[in-house]
């Protein structure tokens, strides 16, 4: 598997390539010097060229791989320039600009500020001009002034052009790698940020699921527990009344039966919600089912006027539970035998009205556990609950819940 290169690896490889190129050019310089007649007769001068080439390669290697401090690097750069000048004086070779390009390229890669790079380029150009001019004059003693000027100018212009092209290319490559590095860092930061957001979203979703399940479990505990307690109380009372007041005992048993059915239905609904099943019945259907369970097998009568309303699941459950509680209260406490149930949606308000023909209440309505729970839950939705009754005139309950600015069920993300 090929290891992915980061920004530092290409710089290292480029430095190695520059040193290799420097050594190759020095070998060419030494070969040219050995082939020259004057150098062949002067072995000392040839050895001096070789030593200068070796020293230049060593100094450049140390500067490229070991020296990090800018001031120390400039000292090495000055020594290398002196070695280049010596080689030029001894050989007068035509590859001087190439060696300057190699040295400057290594410095460009080390220096951070563009201004310092421009200064290095300018100093390198001046040193090249001086070295080339001195070397050419020494190696071409006796040439005419015109030929000397033309040759020197053409050599300098050609060398400066090569150095400028090298400067431009190296700056482009450095800029490209830095931009690529910054882009890679930005992409990585974006990926990390996205991963953190996804993790936070998943945690939030899990939290919502747990909160919903805890709420449903609380509904099971409160509603079913209350209903079962009522069933036990009604059946115990029926046992005591069955001999002395059979009719009242029968009413207590009927009330307990209704309460048990309601509790069973509540538990089934809560279990379905915990299992993540979709709600298939409308609110109208559910209230009709509640009424049917109440009147089935009993003498209780009920008349309904229900709109087909679309409401959020939490309000749906609240309305259904309230209807069950109010009907059960009417039978248990009010001895009611008939009910009128109305469900209307108008002006952003959902209204449930439950009235019965029971014994009513004398004076002020005393709210028990069930009525207090209905009022509190209605207020949590931003609505209200009103309970009215007069003695021998029945009992009436009105629940209003605002639907405005609440998400519709089809737009609300379902928690499973």
């Amino acid at each position: 598997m090929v290891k992915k290169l980061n920004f530092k690896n290409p710089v290292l490889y480029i430095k190695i390539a520059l040193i290799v190129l420097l050594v190759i050019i020095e070998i060419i310089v030494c070969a040219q010097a050995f082939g020259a007649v004057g150098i062949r007769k002067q072995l000392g001068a040839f050895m001096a060229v070789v030593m200068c080439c070796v020293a230049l390669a060593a100094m450049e290697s140390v500067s490229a791989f070991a020296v990090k401090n800018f001031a120390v690097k400039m000292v090495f750069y000055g020594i290398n320039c002196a070695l280049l000048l010596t080689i030029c004086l001894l050989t007068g070779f035509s590859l001087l600009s190439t060696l300057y390009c190699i040295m400057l390229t290594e410095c460009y890669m080390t220096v951070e500020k563009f201004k310092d790079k421009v200064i290095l380029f300018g100093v390198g150009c001046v040193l090249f001009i001086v070295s080339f001019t001195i070397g050419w004059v020494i190696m071409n003693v006796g040439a005419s002034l015109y030929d000397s000027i033309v040759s020197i100018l053409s050599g300098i212009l050609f060398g400066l052009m090569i150095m400028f092209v090298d400067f431009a290319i190296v700056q482009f490559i450095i800029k490209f790698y830095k931009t690529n590095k910054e882009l890679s860092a930005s992409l990585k930061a974006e990926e990390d940020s996205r991963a953190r957001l996804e993790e936070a979203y998943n945690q939030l979703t899990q939290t919502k699921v747990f909160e919903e399940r805890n709420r449903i479990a609380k509904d099971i505990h409160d509603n079913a527990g209350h209903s079962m307690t009522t069933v036990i109380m009604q059946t115990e009372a029926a046992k005591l009344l069955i001999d002395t007041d059979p009719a009242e005992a029968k009413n207590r048993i009927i009330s307990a039966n209704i309460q048990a059915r309601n509790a069973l239905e509540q538990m089934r609904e809560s279990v379905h919600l915990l299992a993540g099943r979709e709600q298939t019945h409308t609110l109208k259907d559910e209230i009709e089912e509640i009424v049917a369970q109440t009147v089935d097998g009993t003498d209780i009568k009920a008349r309904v006027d229900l709109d087909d309303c679309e409401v959020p699941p939490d309000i749906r459950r609240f309305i259904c539970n309230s209807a069950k509680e109010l009907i059960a209260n009417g039978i248990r406490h009010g001895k009611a035998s008939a009910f009128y149930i109305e469900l209307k949606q108008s002006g952003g308000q959902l209204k449930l009205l439950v009235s019965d023909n029971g014994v009513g209440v004398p004076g002020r309505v005393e709210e028990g556990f069930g009525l207090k729970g209905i009022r509190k839950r209605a207020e949590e939705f931003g609505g209200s609950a009103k309970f009215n009754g007069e003695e021998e005139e029945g009992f009436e309950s009105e629940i209003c819940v605002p639907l405005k600015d609440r998400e519709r069920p089809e737009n609300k993300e379902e928690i499973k």
Side-chain angles (χ1 to χ4, degrees), residues 206-382:
Q206 292 178 359
T207 300
K208 288 183 177 179
V209 170
F210 292 144
E211 289 177 352
E212 181 69 3
R213 289 180 176 176
N214 288 337
R215 189 198 61 76
I216 294 173
K218 186 177 184 299
D219 282 349
I220 294 175
H221 177 270
D222 293 345
N223 295 328
H226 173 66
S227 298
M228 290 299 100
T229 300
T230 303
V231 168
I232 293 173
M233 292 175 61
Q234 294 287 1
T235 54
E236 289 293 334
K239 285 167 56 178
L240 298 176
L241 295 172
I242 195 167
D243 293 329
T244 59
D245 192 350
E248 178 62 20
K250 180 181 178 181
N251 288 335
R252 296 296 179 97
I253 293 173
I254 291 173
S255 178
N257 180 268
I258 294 172
Q259 199 72 20
R261 289 186 181 186
N262 290 341
L264 179 60
E265 184 62 26
Q266 290 173 2
M267 293 181 67
R268 284 176 177 171
E269 179 184 350
S270 298
V271 170
H272 290 169
L273 290 173
L274 284 173
R277 297 183 185 178
E278 295 183 357
Q279 196 81 28
T280 57
H281 296 89
T282 64
L283 178 58
K284 178 181 177 181
D285 294 336
E286 293 189 14
I287 293 181
E288 288 177 345
E289 178 66 21
I290 292 171
V291 173
Q293 291 176 2
T294 301
V295 302
D296 185 26
T298 69
D299 295 330
I300 297 174
K301 306 296 181 182
R303 186 166 62 90
V304 297
D305 182 10
L306 309 175
D307 287 349
D308 195 0
C309 307
E310 293 184 4
V311 298
D314 49 355
I315 292 182
R316 177 204 301 263
R317 290 191 294 270
F318 167 62
I319 294 297
C320 290
N321 291 338
S322 298
K324 295 174 186 177
E325 179 71 21
L326 294 173
I327 292 173
N329 281 348
I331 297 173
R332 184 170 62 251
H333 302 297
K335 308 296 188 295
S337 61
F339 290 87
Y340 172 73
I341 303 169
E342 180 182 86
L343 179 69
K344 298 294 181 181
Q345 180 178 353
S346 176
Q349 291 279 336
L350 180 69
K351 183 176 74 171
L352 174 67
L353 177 68
V354 178
S355 61
D356 60 53
N357 65 344
V359 298
V361 291
R364 183 173 177 272
V365 176
E366 295 291 338
E367 296 181 3
F369 176 82
L371 297 185
K372 286 182 179 179
I374 292 174
R375 179 187 296 279
K376 180 179 179 182
R377 189 66 172 150
E379 291 174 350
E380 288 177 358
F381 286 117

Side-chain angles (χ1 to χ4, degrees), residues 92-122:
F93 66 97
S94 59
L95 298 176
L96 180 64
S97 60
T98 304
L99 290 180
Y100 268 102
C101 287
I102 293 174
M103 285 198 312
L104 289 171
T105 298
E106 191 278 323
C107 291
Y108 297 153
M109 296 171 62
T110 305
V111 177
E112 293 293 333
K113 295 182 179 179
F114 181 76
K115 178 181 178 181
D116 294 336
K117 296 176 183 179
V118 173
I119 293 175
L120 279 173
F121 172 73

